[in-house]
Each structure stands twice: as C-alpha cells, then as structure tokens.
Amino acid sequence: MQRGRQLRPGVTLVRAGEPMAALFVVRSGSAKRYSVTLGGGEQVHGFVLPGELVGLEGFASGRYTCEVSALEPLGYCRVPIRKLEQLLERLPGLRREILRLLGQALDESQRLRGELALSDARGRVAHFLADLSHRLARRGLSPTEFHLSMSRADIARHLGLTLETVSRALGTFKREGWLRVRARDISVLRPDALAALGSGIA
Amino acid sequence: MQRGRQLRPGVTLVRAGEPMAALFVVRSGSAKRYSVTLGGGEQVHGFVLPGELVGLEGFASGRYTCEVSALEPLGYCRVPIRKLEQLLERLPGLRREILRLLGQALDESQRLRGELALSDARGRVAHFLADLSHRLARRGLSPTEFHLSMSRADIARHLGLTLETVSRALGTFKREGWLRVRARDISVLRPDALAALGSGIA
DNA sequence: CGTGAAATTGAGCTCCCTCAATCTGAGTGG
DNA sequence: CCACTCAGATTGAGGGAGCTCAATTTCACG
C-alpha cells in the first residue's frame, strides 16, 4: 500500500482501457467518474468522495472501464493488485471485505439505476443531494453544509438531465425553503423533505 | 454445488432481506430481478438468462437486496456460500474468477445506468433488445429469433418508461422493418439498426 | 474593476405520460 | 365448435414535464 499521493484538479487518476494495475482509495478531495461516448460527450457515472474506492470495475476485464479525474486537489492511496492478491491469499477477512466492497458497489449502482428509472427531475436532484449528504456524514463531514465540487453540467450528465433543469430544481428547493444555495455552496435546511422526495415519495 | 433444481413460473428464488446463504446459477428459463418500492410498485432491476448468476449483491450486507422470481420454468444450481468460501481458500483461480464476475456485474450495471441517462424511449427499447440478443447469442441461442418471457409492463418498469411507450417503440421498429413482432415473439431483421440506436447514435 | 466561464431565468416546442378505448389471443365452459 | 372472458397488448387523444435555444446575471480570477 503506497500512500500520500496527490493530484491537482483536472488531472486524471485512471483512464478507460488502461490495464488495471491497482485500486485507489481516496483520502481527501473528490473526483468524477465518467466515460466518453461515441459522440464525444461525457457520461458521468458518479463522484468519488474521501474514503471511497476507485477502480473496482476493472476486475471485469483487467482494464479500467471509465476515466476518473480529480475535481479538487485529490489525496489518495494506491493499492497494487499484485500486492492485494498476495494479501487475499493469507487473509480470509480481507477476502470477505473485498467481496463486501464489490457487493456494495454493485448494490449501490443498481439502486442508482432504479432511481433514474423511477424519479422525475426534482426527485433525482433531491436524491443526489441526499445521497451526497449521507456519504459526507459517514466521513464525519457536515451533512447540511457542503460545497459541490462538480458543475451543474456534471450533475446533469450524471442524472440524465440538462444543466438548466438541474438549476431549476435547485431553484425550486431554494424557493420552498429546503435549501440555501450560493453558487456551489449548499446548506440543507430540510433534509427530511429532500430525503422524502428522493426516495420516490414524490 | 447442488444442481438439478427446478422452479415454476411465478415462484420466487430469493427474497429481499433474506440472509445470503447461497449464490445461484441459472441453467434454463429466465427470471426477473426486482424490488418493491415504498409505494408498493415494482422496480425491475433486470432479467436473468441461462448461464447468469443470481445473488451477487448479497455480498454487500450478507442479505439479498432484491427479489428474483421465475418468468419461465427455471432450472438452476445452488452454490452455498460456506462451500464457496472453502473453495476460495484453496483456489486462487476461483478467487480471480469471482472477482471477475463481480466486476462484470458492476460494470454492466453502470453501463445500464448510463444508457438510462442518455437515451430516449426508443433508444432504451432498442438497447434492451440488442442486449438481450447479445446475451442469448453468448449462450448459443438465436440472437435474431427469440421469445420475450417478460410482459411489456416489466420491460417498461425496467427501462423507466410506461408500457404504452414500450409498445409504441416496438410498433415503430416494426413499421420501419427492423423487427417482426408477434405478441412476445421477436424476429430481429436489422440488428445493426437496433444496435446503432441503442448505442446512442440516435 | 474587467473578463470569461458558470449559473440562472425565460419562452416555445417535443416527447412521453395519462387516460381511455379497442384489439388480440389463450383458456373455459356450454 | 363457438361464445365468453379476462389479461395483455395496441392504438388514439390530450396535457405536462423537461429539452432546446437564447438572454441575462453571478461568480471566480486576473
């Protein structure tokens, strides 16, 4: 396990198609996971927060299948696959842990897919914020006051919307008194309302 | 590995919330993966074809997170987790294989999510058919002549559409000469056109 | 300040959803 | 053999959510 590495905003951590030589654990900052479509557009798969893993999809073919690039200064650790396999040989607990992490990623991805299928625009944005809030809280950060490291366009491409629609949804939440929005700084005033809307209570 | 088991249409193979005691390999027939929303609706995650695995998401928490029920008479094998862990202890190849399978499931789920985010109704239906065709072909079945074991409503709930829209999309494809549709029997006449539309060439 | 990118806001239009009627086909009983 | 039934699928009409295009406005950075 190699640690203490650092990346500047905009720099790419892994590229689609590269052989998967390592997993990465994000320590600080945030990153964007995306792939480039045939038309040249970006398909945003999600955002990586501190404490989360990068590169798991690579197990499928031995190559990464999407790009991950830093949105903020990104601190991370690198876990070489060779090293990981050696450890898996000896440590049954780690075996279970890596299976758990993969299962979690899978479950989460499916839940996100369901969200897309069921919710309308406002529901998706609400869910996005509620999810972000939840993940920040798990890392001991404030679930109600945070900074969006990604643009409205990134959020839109992640949620299958346009950036205008994302902006309007935020505007609605603001008007309803659920949020305070100042550019990319968010204050959540009514987490319950967001969570409800984001869970398909709509 | 216990084999030769059989299930009747409509019967449930695993239930959400049950402890994950085993993985399942489908041998014949097909199944629907879904979960029940708070409102009582079905959220269809996908369909399981012969040769595919059921239960992988269970690694996340040790419990299954969605229901899987047979659409047709379903032949399957049961792989107890205890047994699997014993084998993982001794067989490095199997360790890599299970990681590969989980990675594949994750990658596929993310690709599906992207599809939902990018495509319009016809694109989603085209992608659904192209994907089905591809998966059948991998199992040595005909990629151009097949039977849909799921209802239009199931397809719709899977794609985040209404059943009417699915029906209309199929109608369009038929009118354009891309498909022959007779109830649930599909003949693909222009696989290229479907694949193109389903890949976001739209 | 000044400049350019990002975000907000507005107006019109399109695609899909909603609601409703019709059609098809498989299973049942007379 | 045929009428009946009922679920699933198709088709039609109308309305609304979100996309497109375009004009400001706000914000970050020099």
Side-chain angles (χ1 to χ4, degrees):
Chain A
M1 172 114 62
Q2 307 159 351
R3 39 212 195 93
R5 301 193 170 212
Q6 196 85 16
L7 237 49
R8 306 211 164 175
V11 178
T12 298
L13 180 58
V14 307
R15 285 187 191 283
E18 267 185 358
M20 178 181 70
L23 290 179
F24 301 89
V25 186
V26 169
R27 286 313 207 175
S28 62
S30 59
K32 172 171 71 162
R33 307 192 314 108
Y34 65 98
S35 49
V36 179
T37 64
L38 297 153
E42 268 186 18
Q43 174 174 339
V44 176
H45 296 293
F47 304 98
V48 190
L49 299 184
E52 301 179 341
L53 249 56
V54 168
L56 288 174
E57 346 74 58
F59 282 122
S61 63
R63 291 176 180 278
Y64 301 115
T65 54
C66 59
E67 319 260 325
V68 180
S69 66
L71 289 168
E72 302 171 288
L74 189 75
Y76 67 95
C77 306
R78 187 174 185 278
V79 185
I81 294 299
R82 310 280 300 233
K83 188 75 182 168
L84 181 67
E85 289 196 337
Q86 289 169 19
L87 293 173
L88 286 176
E89 179 83 37
R90 298 200 309 268
L91 305 173
L94 184 61
R95 276 206 293 276
R96 262 182 234 112
E97 181 64 8
I98 196 84
L99 288 178
R100 193 182 67 75
L101 288 167
L102 269 160
Q104 217 163 51
L106 178 58
D107 190 47
E108 193 182 305
S109 169
Q110 292 188 3
R111 211 117 37 75
L112 271 174
R113 214 200 62 83
E115 193 54 39
L116 266 195
L118 291 180
S119 300
D120 61 1
R122 292 176 45 199
R124 293 183 201 180
V125 175
H127 179 83
F128 169 74
L129 290 173
D131 178 61
L132 205 58
S133 174
H134 177 69
R135 285 156 69 195
L136 289 170
R138 256 208 318 220
R139 278 286 134 182
L141 303 168
S142 169
T144 54
E145 310 275 329
F146 49 86
H147 179 82
L148 298 175
S149 56
M150 69 295 287
S151 70
R152 303 287 193 266
D154 284 336
I155 299 174
R157 282 188 293 260
H158 176 52
L159 299 178
L161 301 169
T162 60
L163 64 93
E164 292 96 328
T165 300
V166 171
S167 182
R168 276 186 252 267
L170 291 174
T172 307
F173 297 158
K174 190 161 81 174
R175 222 167 303 120
E176 308 238 348
W178 298 1
L179 291 182
R180 208 100 61 73
V181 183
R182 212 187 98 83
R184 295 191 179 184
D185 291 311
I186 303 284
S187 302
V188 181
L189 305 174
R190 296 280 310 279
D192 52 331
L194 281 186
L197 188 54
S199 309
I201 314 278
Chain B
M1 170 114 64
Q2 306 160 352
R3 40 211 195 95
R5 301 193 168 210
Q6 196 86 17
L7 236 51
R8 304 209 167 178
V11 178
T12 297
L13 179 59
V14 307
R15 284 186 194 285
E18 268 184 357
M20 179 182 68
L23 290 179
F24 301 90
V25 186
V26 170
R27 286 313 209 176
S28 61
S30 60
K32 171 171 70 165
R33 305 190 319 106
Y34 65 98
S35 49
V36 179
T37 65
L38 298 153
E42 268 184 20
Q43 175 174 337
V44 176
H45 296 293
F47 305 98
V48 190
L49 299 184
E52 300 180 342
L53 249 56
V54 168
L56 288 175
E57 345 74 58
F59 281 122
S61 64
R63 293 178 179 277
Y64 301 115
T65 55
C66 60
E67 318 259 325
V68 181
S69 66
L71 289 168
E72 303 170 286
L74 189 76
Y76 67 95
C77 305
R78 188 174 185 277
V79 185
I81 294 299
R82 310 281 299 232
K83 188 73 180 170
L84 181 67
E85 289 196 337
Q86 289 169 20
L87 292 174
L88 286 178
E89 179 81 39
R90 297 199 310 268
L91 305 173
L94 184 61
R95 276 205 295 276
R96 264 182 234 113
E97 181 64 8
I98 197 83
L99 289 178
R100 195 182 64 77
L101 287 167
L102 269 161
Q104 217 162 51
L106 177 59
D107 190 47
E108 194 181 304
S109 170
Q110 292 188 2
R111 212 116 36 77
L112 271 173
R113 212 199 62 81
E115 193 54 38
L116 265 195
L118 291 181
S119 300
D120 62 359
R122 292 175 48 200
R124 292 183 201 180
V125 175
H127 179 83
F128 169 74
L129 290 173
D131 179 61
L132 206 57
S133 174
H134 177 69
R135 286 156 68 196
L136 290 170
R138 256 209 317 221
R139 277 287 134 180
L141 302 167
S142 169
T144 53
E145 311 274 329
F146 50 86
H147 179 82
L148 298 175
S149 55
M150 69 295 287
S151 70
R152 302 287 192 267
D154 284 335
I155 299 174
R157 282 188 293 262
H158 176 51
L159 300 178
L161 301 170
T162 59
L163 64 91
E164 293 95 329
T165 300
V166 171
S167 183
R168 276 186 251 269
L170 291 174
T172 307
F173 297 157
K174 190 160 80 174
R175 221 167 304 118
E176 307 237 349
W178 297 1
L179 291 181
R180 207 98 61 73
V181 183
R182 212 187 99 83
R184 295 191 179 184
D185 291 310
I186 303 285
S187 302
V188 181
L189 306 174
R190 296 279 312 276
D192 53 331
L194 282 184
L197 188 55
S199 309
I201 313 279

